[in-house]
Amino acid sequence: MIFFITIGIGSYIVLGKYKQFQQYALQDRHNSIENKKEIIKDIVNSYVNHINYSINSKHESIESRLVSKVNTAYKTSMDMYQKMKADNYPEEAIQSSVKTVLASMVFGNNYIFAFDKSGVIISSPLLPMIEGKNLIDMKDAAGRYTLRDSLEIISKTGDGFQDVVWANPSSPDEELKKKRVYMKEFEPYGWVIGYGIYMDDDDIQTKSMVVKQIETVSYENKGYIFAATYDGVSLTAPEKGKDMYDVQDVNGVYIVRELIKLAKTGGGYLTYVMPPFKGARPETKISYVAPIEKWGWYVGTGVYITDIEAEYQARMSELFTSEKYETTLIISGLIALLGAAGFAVYIFSGKFQQLVEKFNADIELKNAELAKMNTALEERVKEKTTELNKLNQFLEQKVEEEVSKNRKKDRIMFQQGRLAAMGEMIGNIAHQWRQPLSSISLLVQDIQEAYDCGELDDEYLQSTVDKCTATVAHMSDTIDDFRYFFNPAKEQVHFDTSAEVKRCVNLLDAGLENSNIKVIVDLHAEGMAYGVPGEYSQVIVNVVSNAKDVLLSRGVIEPVISIKSYNEAGCIVLNICDNGGGVPSDIIDNIFEPYFTTKYHSKGTGIGLYFSKMIIEDNMNGRMTVKNEDGGACFYLYVPIAKSKKPENTNMLPAL
């Protein structure tokens, strides 16, 4: 046993370390690639930030140089003006000398220029043909009034910067180029002195400097940074100056096109096979590129997968050697432990055998005692089981008796509720009869007056008799509805639910009208239901009466009860809603339980809705539910549309 336990522990440890090594190796390989990707990304982003900084610094440097040149020209001109003015030179001589000084300030392709506030060019050393001309209405290539805009800037601040498109004297055919200009007013003559730098010339110098810097960068495994334009022209080795836009790798990947797409979206990684360029290895490579938006360039670098694999294999070899040494130590320790355990077993086996034999003897003795106790317990259990069976029979009989009593009590309470409803409806009938009885009384009095006045003829008498007959018929219909509602017959028949709704509303109308409750009836259901019509009517009356009580107890302004019917999923649906604020959420799940009521005990028994749900669901195979909708409670009565025979409980009722 010790041998197998030791072997098992050893195998578990060795296999565990092997699996751990495999998992670590897989994770390390993934991490190696991800780390290299992060490294080349950091290298590229670092250099892109450096280039963007150089571009921004160049812009600031240009403005600083412009201001310096103009201030120098301004100071030199002002010194000459003040000196010659102090020596009483003629004004023309002073102006000529100042102009000569300004004309001498030429710096390569750029120069100091001057014009007056009328737009006449005073000095333009590299474009002398425009001196003396009024160019106030001249536009540059961008359609801007160059001199007018300059004068507007000077009039507001006395100096400022301006961007223009101007002829570059050093370019072929004096090509129009973008120029950054700084201007300042020379107060003695109201001249504007300015100096500009052609941005393209400056950009070319900066780009050339950046390319040289890129080409000097080198890092581990002969790594280098490359750059190209969005047109696909390579700016650096290995294919400097060539159009690489249509270059593909062995898998058909348009390498430069994909790199341009990544750069235009902010940067990203691309895996491809390096083409057989001079000095390049035709192997799988991962590159990262980032954009230089202001120049329309992208800059990137890459790493060969084989270089990553070589580093990974070196680490794994070193780790495997370490793990192998640890595993050897573990196995050696387990072997030593196994030997020590075997020796201990050999020494103590005899003594252990004696202990086992003594223990077995004790076990046999205890087993005999337990057998006796078990026999005694079985007899006691039989006795108690017999007593329990008798007690269970007695309890079952008592439960059946109590359930029967409760059923009778519930029926009595429900009948009491019906009697209460009958009393209320009798009041409604009495209220409904007052109006027709008053009408009959007036008609009888009118006959008497007509007789006394000699106006009683056959036509008048027949008309009055017809009116009385119609009124008496209406009263008779009310009595028939009342008798039909409280008919004790329980025979199940096919019946029209809409007719039952109308009959119930007719019975309750007087009481509802007397309580100023508006009733809206909208019946569209088609088909017949199967059941006891009187029970279905009792459910309607119970729900409407409850709604009436809620509306009155809560003092609802403009109380309304709506009754709607429609067909849905093979059912006749009756929807009874009020605007009484709804059922509180903490009791809505309990209102169909027996003896649960929110009314005072003198006004409610708590079984009306319970029996209503039993009538719809047990007697008519339907469903009755309640929801809070639109500020009130809505009761839904679902009953199946009856076929030629009694409908079956098919579970086809719509789910809520």
Side-chain angles (χ1 to χ4, degrees):
M1 184 177 66
I2 294 174
F3 172 79
F4 284 113
I5 290 175
T6 305
I7 294 299
I9 294 174
S11 300
Y12 176 79
I13 293 174
V14 171
L15 290 174
K17 291 186 71 63
Y18 178 71
K19 289 181 179 179
Q20 185 179 7
F21 177 79
Q22 284 186 318
Q23 292 174 355
Y24 177 81
L26 291 173
Q27 185 64 38
D28 185 74
R29 187 176 187 279
H30 174 76
N31 291 341
S32 296
I33 295 174
E34 294 301 317
N35 289 339
K36 283 295 182 183
K37 288 171 68 175
E38 287 297 319
I39 289 171
I40 63 175
K41 180 180 178 181
D42 290 342
I43 291 172
V44 172
N45 286 338
S46 174
Y47 213 81
V48 166
N49 292 335
H50 172 70
I51 294 173
N52 286 328
Y53 176 77
S54 298
I55 294 172
N56 295 331
S57 299
K58 179 204 72 171
H59 184 76
E60 296 175 359
S61 174
I62 288 174
E63 293 189 347
S64 176
R65 285 152 51 194
L66 290 173
V67 172
S68 176
K69 287 286 191 295
V70 171
N71 285 340
T72 299
Y74 177 87
K75 185 176 185 306
T76 303
S77 300
M78 184 61 75
D79 289 345
M80 179 170 285
Y81 169 79
Q82 291 174 348
K83 182 177 180 182
M84 293 181 72
K85 193 74 172 177
D87 293 341
N88 296 318
Y89 278 88
E91 200 66 34
E92 291 182 2
I94 298 174
Q95 287 187 12
S96 178
S97 298
V98 172
K99 178 181 176 182
T100 300
V101 169
L102 294 175
S104 67
M105 295 185 179
V106 178
F107 310 97
N109 298 331
N110 303 309
Y111 54 90
I112 295 290
F113 63 85
F115 59 89
D116 64 18
K117 291 185 177 180
S118 65
V120 175
I121 303 301
I122 304 299
S123 175
S124 181
L126 297 186
L127 296 172
M129 72 289 297
I130 66 173
E131 290 184 358
K133 294 183 179 181
N134 190 324
L135 301 181
I136 192 69
D137 293 324
M138 181 189 67
K139 295 182 181 179
D140 68 0
R144 294 171 294 199
Y145 288 99
T146 306
L147 298 187
R148 288 186 183 182
D149 293 345
S150 301
L151 292 170
E152 185 176 353
I153 293 171
I154 294 299
S155 66
K156 291 180 178 179
T157 60
D159 66 344
F161 293 94
Q162 182 184 18
D163 290 321
V164 299
V165 180
W166 198 259
N168 189 342
S170 65
S171 64
D173 301 324
E174 296 185 352
E175 185 180 359
L176 297 175
K177 297 288 185 178
K178 184 178 178 182
K179 194 173 186 179
R180 182 73 168 167
V181 177
Y182 175 72
M183 304 159 295
K184 187 173 184 178
E185 183 180 3
F186 186 70
E187 295 87 352
Y189 299 125
W191 293 353
V192 177
I193 298 174
Y195 179 73
I197 294 177
Y198 289 98
M199 302 297 289
D200 289 346
D201 293 344
D202 208 68
D203 277 348
I204 290 172
Q205 295 176 4
T206 305
K207 289 178 181 178
S208 176
M209 177 190 68
V210 168
V211 170
K212 289 180 180 178
Q213 291 177 350
I214 290 175
E215 291 178 328
T216 62
V217 175
S218 177
Y219 54 94
E220 60 178 346
N221 294 327
K222 297 182 180 180
Y224 60 90
I225 296 177
F226 57 85
T229 68
Y230 282 173
D231 296 330
V233 177
S234 181
L235 300 172
T236 59
E239 297 293 311
K240 183 175 182 179
K242 292 185 179 181
D243 186 351
M244 308 294 290
Y245 193 76
D246 294 323
V247 172
Q248 295 177 268
D249 69 357
V250 294
N251 297 319
V253 176
Y254 286 94
I255 302 172
V256 174
R257 294 185 189 182
E258 295 300 322
L259 292 175
I260 292 171
K261 288 181 183 178
L262 291 171
K264 287 184 176 181
T265 57
Y269 297 96
L270 179 67
T271 302
Y272 57 94
V273 178
M274 189 71 178
F277 296 145
K278 182 179 179 181
R281 292 149 53 188
E283 300 173 2
T284 303
K285 192 174 187 179
I286 300 175
S287 289
Y288 179 82
V289 293
I292 307 295
E293 297 289 352
K294 294 183 179 179
W295 288 349
W297 288 11
Y298 67 86
V299 175
T301 189
V303 60
Y304 287 102
I305 296 295
T306 52
D307 291 340
I308 301 176
E309 288 289 345
E311 294 179 6
Y312 163 74
Q313 291 297 339
R315 284 196 307 275
M316 290 301 102
S317 177
E318 183 179 350
L319 180 62
F320 182 76
T321 301
S322 175
E323 292 292 327
K324 184 177 179 182
Y325 176 73
E326 289 183 8
T327 303
T328 302
L329 289 178
I330 292 172
I331 293 175
S332 299
L334 289 173
I335 292 173
L337 178 62
L338 180 60
F343 179 75
V345 169
Y346 175 75
I347 295 299
F348 295 105
S349 59
K351 189 173 183 179
F352 180 75
Q353 180 65 30
Q354 294 175 359
L355 292 174
V356 168
E357 291 175 354
K358 184 178 182 299
F359 180 74
N360 287 336
D362 292 340
I363 290 293
E364 290 177 0
L365 180 61
K366 296 297 182 182
N367 284 338
E369 294 177 358
L370 285 173
K372 293 179 181 179
M373 293 176 63
N374 187 47
T375 302
L377 285 174
E378 286 179 353
E379 293 177 356
R380 292 287 294 170
V381 168
K382 288 180 181 179
E383 294 175 2
K384 294 298 181 182
T385 301
T386 303
E387 293 178 3
L388 284 173
N389 289 334
K390 293 180 180 179
L391 181 60
N392 284 337
Q393 292 176 359
F394 175 75
L395 289 176
E396 287 176 359
Q397 183 179 355
K398 292 296 291 181
V399 168
E400 289 178 359
E401 292 176 358
E402 292 300 323
V403 169
S404 177
K405 291 179 182 179
N406 286 335
R407 294 286 186 185
K408 292 178 181 179
K409 183 179 68 173
D410 291 345
R411 291 291 180 184
I412 293 171
M413 293 180 68
F414 187 66
Q415 292 300 327
Q416 289 176 348
R418 290 194 66 197
L419 291 175
M422 182 184 297
E424 183 177 352
M425 288 192 181
I426 290 174
N428 291 340
I429 293 170
H431 181 78
Q432 288 187 356
W433 275 20
R434 288 192 184 96
Q435 179 66 29
L437 287 174
S438 298
S439 298
I440 293 172
S441 177
L442 290 174
L443 289 171
V444 171
Q445 293 176 11
D446 194 43
I447 292 173
Q448 181 65 44
E449 291 178 0
Y451 177 78
D452 293 339
C453 297
E455 298 176 355
L456 184 64
D457 55 15
D458 292 341
E459 181 180 357
Y460 180 84
L461 183 61
Q462 185 62 43
S463 174
T464 304
V465 170
D466 290 343
K467 291 179 182 179
C468 289
T469 302
T471 303
V472 171
H474 173 69
M475 296 169 66
S476 178
D477 290 342
T478 303
I479 291 297
D480 289 341
D481 289 341
F482 176 75
R483 292 175 58 198
Y484 178 81
F485 178 74
F486 289 100
N487 187 352
K490 295 296 182 179
E491 182 182 358
Q492 290 189 323
V493 296
H494 291 84
F495 65 93
D496 185 356
T497 58
S498 297
E500 296 303 317
V501 173
K502 293 176 182 178
R503 184 176 288 110
C504 293
V505 171
N506 186 42
L507 289 172
L508 298 172
D509 185 59
L512 295 171
E513 182 180 358
N514 191 46
S515 300
N516 294 320
I517 297 175
K518 181 179 179 181
V519 180
I520 300 173
V521 181
D522 185 14
L523 305 176
H524 295 285
E526 298 179 356
M528 305 292 284
Y530 187 84
V532 180
E535 290 184 346
Y536 187 78
S537 299
Q538 291 171 28
V539 175
I540 298 171
V541 170
N542 189 24
V543 175
V544 173
S545 298
N546 284 347
K548 172 188 171 184
D549 293 341
V550 169
L551 293 171
L552 294 178
S553 65
R554 296 181 180 178
V556 176
I557 301 173
E558 297 183 0
V560 177
I561 298 175
S562 67
I563 305 174
K564 299 178 182 179
S565 71
Y566 52 89
N567 295 106
E568 180 181 320
C571 289
I572 298 171
V573 184
L574 185 64
N575 179 13
I576 305 174
C577 297
D578 61 59
N579 62 340
V583 183
S585 59
D586 57 337
I587 66 169
I588 193 169
D589 295 330
N590 306 111
I591 63 172
F592 290 115
E593 295 179 1
Y595 311 114
F596 182 86
T597 179
T598 58
K599 303 176 184 179
Y600 293 109
H601 294 297
S602 60
K603 294 184 177 182
T605 62
I607 63 169
L609 288 177
Y610 167 67
F611 272 106
S612 296
K613 189 175 180 69
M614 288 180 60
I615 289 170
I616 296 299
E617 296 187 355
D618 295 345
N619 297 355
M620 300 186 71
N621 296 328
R623 180 181 296 166
M624 182 174 181
T625 61
V626 62
K627 289 182 180 179
N628 287 327
E629 295 179 0
D630 300 327
C634 287
F635 286 83
Y636 289 85
L637 278 61
Y638 293 82
V639 295
I641 298 175
K643 308 292 183 181
S644 59
K645 60 180 181 178
K646 179 180 177 180
E648 299 178 356
N649 190 359
T650 60
N651 294 325
M652 293 298 291
L653 297 176
L656 299 181

